[in-house]
Amino acid sequence: MAGTAGTPGTPRVLRAMNDRAALDLLLAHGPLSRTRIGKLTGLSKPTASQLLARLEAAGLVRVTGTSEGRPGPSAQLYAVHPGAAYAAGLDVAPHRIRAAVADITGRTVGEYELPTPGRHPAQPVVQQVTDALDGAVKAAGLARSDVHRVVIGTPGAFDPGTGRLRYASHLPGWHSPTLLDELAAALPMPVEYENDVNLVALAEQRLGAAKGHDDFVLLWSEEGLGAALVLGGRLHRGWTGGAGEVGFLPVPGTPLVRQVAKANSGGYQELAGSQSVAKLARELGIEDLPTGPHAEVAATLVARAADHATGPYRELLRTYATRLAVGLASLVSVLDPELVVLSGSALAAGGEVLRALVQAELEELAAARPRLVVGDVHEHPVLRGALESALVTTRDEVFDTSR
């Protein structure tokens, strides 16, 4: 009968469910024997054998060796076939695009960074994206057509109604209303777009400090301040994708910023953004200030401050913690999250010392009392989140054996 292949409870659907359970176990645990897979899934030995034969024939698993060091005959060990599919992620910033390709197991197999200097890019954005992707693909020894899916992380968010990038006027060349159509035409695989801070939250939820938590806020500090809101296990993006653009949040302690879209800044950014740290240091009489981009300067100063128990550097850290807590108090008072993750170079540089100061201040300013932690994903967290996002959908598609 037509349509019975997708009916819940049919043999094909049950086999597909068992196949996916086994593949997820292999991803989580690494190589496993048939007996171990049977025990973990509750399947009989014959059924587990049939499952593995089916997955091996489909190119989804392969034999990687035999068990050793145990009494009795050695057993074959099975693992997910890394080459079953590949996914890519891109992290777009005003001065560079960082790209990476991962195999289906999540292992990064190729990386590339493309400089994009200047407010008026010499190359069109479509060319920049394809060049960055091709660089990572080449580093992986693959062809562009081998990539199953791409996720691109950018500041701001693409408005679902107009297709324009909002909340990111500092990203040159990315604001054409036809850009998404042009990228879709240039790339042979499905392409998804996500806010960069949301991708950091996804990386922390799957791999880092927020693992196992369904309700949390991630506060991100690099050149700009941003937040990601995870509610009930899902990212909350808002009507136009602008949920979490907390840099525009009006807060006490700084003059109101009007026409924030034109200024590309707001009260919280002015109060506690990375550019405020050097200004505060000068006001406290700290000399020998580092030079460079705001985020790098802020991270250096905060790291120095975390090493000082007294003096102007400690006052710098206390004041910075209070400013961070002011904005966080508004967020947690409305959302009442279980957890707040502090991420980005400036917040990570303060480590446990800064975290404890912000925690103490937040408990004074807000009725809700979430636990604060420092993020665990330190190496290219936006890119890691983009890869994780691409892999989730890729696995859902490639691992579906019911079709």
Side-chain angles (χ1 to χ4, degrees):
M1 183 182 296
T4 56
T7 304
T10 61
R12 177 177 293 183
V13 171
L14 292 175
R15 282 196 300 269
M17 292 171 63
N18 288 335
D19 291 348
R20 181 58 193 265
L23 289 165
D24 287 342
L25 285 169
L26 290 170
L27 285 174
H29 296 281
L32 296 171
S33 67
R34 180 203 62 182
T35 300
R36 184 63 177 155
I37 290 172
K39 288 181 177 178
L40 291 172
T41 58
L43 299 175
S44 66
K45 288 182 179 180
T47 303
S49 295
Q50 293 170 4
L51 177 151
L52 289 168
R54 187 165 60 245
L55 294 179
E56 191 172 11
L60 297 177
V61 303
R62 65 179 183 178
V63 175
T64 59
T66 57
S67 60
E68 296 179 356
R70 295 181 181 180
S74 298
Q76 287 185 322
L77 296 177
Y78 295 84
V80 172
H81 193 316
Y86 296 92
L90 273 69
D91 169 15
V92 178
H95 301 294
R96 56 103 184 111
I97 299 177
R98 186 177 289 131
V101 176
D103 64 33
I104 197 73
T105 70
R107 182 175 65 94
T108 300
V109 294
E111 294 183 84
Y112 185 77
E113 185 168 315
L114 177 75
T116 56
R119 293 195 58 81
H120 303 287
Q123 292 179 315
V125 164
V126 173
Q127 186 67 50
Q128 292 177 3
V129 169
T130 54
D131 284 354
L133 177 61
D134 287 345
V137 166
K138 182 179 179 181
L142 302 171
R144 190 192 294 181
S145 58
D146 292 323
V147 177
H148 192 87
R149 180 173 295 270
V150 174
V151 170
I152 299 176
T154 68
F158 287 94
D159 189 300
T162 66
R164 286 183 178 272
L165 184 65
R166 303 186 65 193
Y167 317 108
S169 61
H170 61 296
L171 195 64
W174 281 78
H175 298 88
S176 166
T178 63
L179 176 60
L180 299 188
D181 291 335
E182 293 170 14
L183 285 168
L187 296 172
M189 73 291 289
V191 183
E192 297 177 10
Y193 304 88
E194 184 58 90
N195 171 263
D196 53 358
V197 186
N198 284 347
L199 292 175
V200 177
L202 178 62
E204 290 289 351
Q205 187 180 34
R206 293 182 63 84
L207 306 170
K211 196 170 184 178
H213 294 275
D214 288 336
D215 292 274
F216 69 94
V217 169
L218 181 135
L219 183 67
W220 170 259
S221 178
E222 286 288 341
E223 290 299 315
L225 268 180
L229 317 176
V230 177
L231 308 173
R234 297 189 176 206
L235 282 165
H236 176 69
R237 297 176 176 85
W239 180 248
T240 63
E245 294 289 342
V246 296
F248 299 118
L249 186 71
V251 293
T254 187
L256 284 175
V257 178
R258 300 186 183 275
Q259 297 185 335
V260 294
K262 290 184 178 180
N264 198 39
S265 185
Y268 195 25
Q269 179 67 36
E270 296 301 313
L271 183 70
S274 59
Q275 82 282 3
S276 72
V277 178
K279 181 180 179 182
L280 177 59
R282 284 191 291 270
E283 292 172 356
L284 292 171
I286 295 174
E287 300 178 351
D288 189 27
L289 298 181
T291 59
H294 292 312
E296 293 179 10
V297 170
T300 300
L301 288 171
V302 171
R304 290 179 187 174
D307 288 335
H308 286 71
T310 59
Y313 269 115
R314 177 43 60 109
E315 185 59 29
L316 170 68
L317 200 66
R318 286 199 183 99
T319 304
Y320 183 48
T322 299
R323 292 180 174 189
L324 290 168
V326 166
L328 279 174
S330 297
L331 288 177
V332 304
S333 295
V334 173
L335 298 173
D336 189 21
E338 177 186 5
L339 189 74
V340 173
V341 180
L342 304 179
S343 185
S345 57
L347 301 181
E352 175 59 24
V353 180
L354 177 62
R355 185 214 64 79
L357 289 171
V358 178
Q359 179 87 64
E361 284 291 86
L362 187 59
E363 290 177 359
E364 294 287 334
L365 297 174
R369 295 193 172 187
R371 182 167 60 92
L372 268 65
V373 297
V374 180
D376 285 339
V377 182
H378 302 299
E379 186 174 358
H380 308 326
V382 175
L383 186 60
R384 188 67 249 175
L387 286 173
E388 288 296 318
S389 179
L391 285 166
V392 167
T393 306
T394 298
R395 288 167 181 162
D396 285 344
E397 295 170 349
V398 174
F399 288 171
D400 183 359
T401 59
S402 66
R403 294 177 293 179

